[in-house]
Amino acid sequence: MGTMIRVLRRSRRPRAVLAVSATLSMLVLAGCAVGTSVPPAVTTAAAPTGNRSGPPSSPAEVSAAADGSPSAEAKMVCGDETRTNIARILSLPDAPVTTDSWAGKLYTCTYALPAGPLVLSVKETADPSAARAHFDSLQQGQSPARPIEGMANLGLPAFETMAGSVAFVKDSFVLTVDATALPATLGPHNVSRNAFAYETATAILACWSE
């Protein structure tokens, strides 16, 4: 699946972007099966994820208890592989610090990058139909948003915005990468925030497919 994603990406983007995309693919897609090559970040939970003993007391804890715990797939957006990939792309000396939350079946991981916050989230739904309905609602709320060509043919409907966010559906999950708070270009390779968001998302999808 990861190879198919990369082929589609190359078929729809201009040559100038393809060179950057090919470089990022080498950096990003190596992360699924390898250990963290930079010091791990300190991760603090903005809301509990259901591991606290004893009865919940705050509204956030009540919500987390009702929702259970995020899946391993959802937690991957805040995991070592993703932190390492982002550090590689941006040539950061250390893995970025993250904060995470879990509420309403939505797992959110915010990366405190030097250039600004990057927000990755995974919405867990009951089934693929519910995931597609959530995705459609997200797309309708983004203006302007355009489908990413070819992905629906692989069973991975996706859209992107000019502001720098992307969203994908896979099975009962909706993955969103929001880079809208970042500058237009990033890192020593001057990667556009749209390309950065896209590469970050497809790397996670490739790992989900392994």
Side-chain angles (χ1 to χ4, degrees):
M1 179 66 75
T3 300
M4 297 173 72
I5 290 171
R6 293 196 296 275
V7 169
L8 278 173
R9 178 170 63 249
R10 292 190 178 100
S11 70
R12 67 177 294 275
R13 293 179 181 266
R15 289 185 179 179
V17 178
L18 294 183
V20 174
S21 181
T23 300
L24 293 182
S25 295
M26 293 175 64
L27 292 172
V28 173
L29 295 176
C32 294
V34 300
T36 304
S37 61
V38 291
V42 176
T43 304
T44 59
T49 56
N51 296 323
R52 179 179 181 272
S53 61
S57 56
S58 71
E61 289 173 323
V62 170
S63 175
D67 290 338
S69 299
S71 65
E73 290 87 350
K75 288 182 178 180
M76 191 176 293
V77 302
C78 220
D80 288 346
E81 293 90 349
T82 303
R83 292 203 307 269
T84 300
N85 289 335
I86 290 172
R88 285 172 174 164
I89 293 172
L90 302 180
S91 296
L92 300 177
D94 300 299
V97 173
T98 60
T99 56
D100 68 329
S101 64
W102 170 246
K105 294 291 184 179
L106 180 70
Y107 183 71
T108 303
C109 182
T110 301
Y111 285 74
L113 301 179
L118 171 70
V119 182
L120 279 61
S121 63
V122 177
K123 177 69 174 181
E124 300 190 20
T125 67
D127 52 49
S129 295
R132 182 55 191 260
H134 180 75
F135 170 86
D136 290 341
S137 176
L138 285 179
Q139 186 170 8
Q140 292 170 6
Q142 298 286 336
S143 181
R146 60 187 183 190
I148 299 177
E149 297 174 5
M151 292 311 231
N153 294 334
L154 290 178
L156 294 169
F159 73 82
E160 62 184 346
T161 70
M162 295 300 293
S165 64
V166 299
F168 287 81
V169 181
K170 186 178 189 303
D171 301 327
S172 58
F173 300 104
V174 180
L175 169 66
T176 303
V177 177
D178 184 350
T180 57
L182 299 177
T185 59
L186 300 159
H189 303 294
N190 292 319
V191 179
S192 74
R193 64 186 169 208
N194 284 76
F196 176 56
Y198 186 88
E199 293 290 341
T200 300
T202 54
I204 293 167
L205 289 167
C207 289
W208 282 358
S209 299
E210 289 189 345

